Amino acid sequence: PADARSAAPPGRGRLEVTYAGLSLLAPDRLAFRYRLSGFDPEWTEVGARREAFFTNVPPGRYVFEVSARTGNGAWSEPPAGVPLTLRARLWETPAFRAAALVSVVLGLVALFRWRTTSLRRRQAQLERVVEERTRSLRDANDRLGDLNAELERLSQVDALTGVANRRVFDARLEAEWRRAARSGESLSLGILDVAHVKA
């Protein structure tokens, strides 16, 4: 009936419609044309055939329209129409697509945050390692400086007497000699023989 509403379950978008027309004058000369309003832009004339086939019809609301005529007469107006609804699969619904889009966006945001957090954690770990190694190198450098100072002191002092040794004497004599040469003053050197040094 023209006022009927049909809803097809989710599928592959294949639709088959069977229709009929009555003519009491010349039923053998009855011809048909049809279209699926919202899918077909033009009418399809099929002669006496009483079936319509559609493929790859996307989910949505349509109106199947059919018109008949006898021989070469005028097409019946208005055409008979039946509203049809092709239900969508779950993943074809706008709500599912919106949810999928939101899920993808949230997933990307979560991945970005996880990656950022991971990089910050890694950076903090590297900073701790660098700080520990810097502190260790600083301590080693301080110890080395102390050792150098001690070695410098030991290289200038006689271990037995605690008096400056020959190396200091030579350096001091060289410095005084140069100073005397610059100033034109005389230079004197006193040598003392210390007896019983060990005692």
Side-chain angles (χ1 to χ4, degrees), residues 100-116:
L101 180 63
V102 168
S103 298
V104 168
V105 169
L106 290 177
L108 289 174
V109 168
L111 181 64
F112 175 76
R113 286 188 177 177
W114 172 82
R115 182 70 178 147
T116 304

Side-chain angles (χ1 to χ4, degrees), residues 24-183:
L24 300 176
L25 298 175
D28 56 333
R29 295 181 56 212
L30 204 56
F32 297 94
R33 69 177 183 171
Y34 66 79
R35 72 177 172 186
L36 188 59
S37 181
F39 181 72
D40 282 334
E42 302 291 330
W43 288 94
T44 303
E45 294 186 26
V46 292
R49 196 177 80 206
R50 288 170 167 77
E51 292 176 323
F53 301 97
F54 302 94
T55 56
N56 299 321
V57 181
R61 296 178 184 271
Y62 303 97
V63 177
F64 176 75
E65 296 177 310
V66 64
S67 183
R69 72 178 176 183
T70 303
N72 291 326
W75 293 104
S76 59
E77 288 295 338
V82 177
L84 300 173
T85 301
L86 270 69
R87 292 194 186 112
R89 296 181 176 104
L90 175 63
W91 58 87
E92 295 173 330
T93 60
F96 181 86
R97 289 177 179 166
L101 180 63
V102 168
S103 298
V104 168
V105 169
L106 290 177
L108 289 174
V109 168
L111 181 64
F112 175 76
R113 286 188 177 177
W114 172 82
R115 182 70 178 147
T116 304
T117 304
S118 175
L119 288 174
R120 285 181 182 157
R121 204 177 304 126
R122 178 72 177 147
Q123 181 182 2
Q125 182 182 10
L126 287 174
E127 286 175 356
R128 280 195 304 273
V129 168
V130 167
E131 184 179 338
E132 288 172 7
R133 291 190 180 175
T134 302
R135 190 182 315 115
S136 175
L137 285 173
R138 194 179 303 121
D139 293 346
N141 196 25
D142 290 346
R143 286 194 302 272
L144 190 60
D146 293 344
L147 284 174
N148 282 340
E150 180 65 19
L151 284 174
E152 181 70 22
R153 188 187 67 77
L154 288 174
S155 69
Q156 294 177 355
V157 175
D158 182 67
L160 180 62
T161 62
V163 178
N165 62 15
R166 173 67 185 263
R167 183 176 173 200
V168 176
F169 170 77
D170 289 342
R172 193 65 177 266
L173 180 62
E174 177 74 20
E176 291 298 325
W177 182 270
R178 288 176 189 265
R179 188 169 64 81
R182 279 193 312 270
S183 65

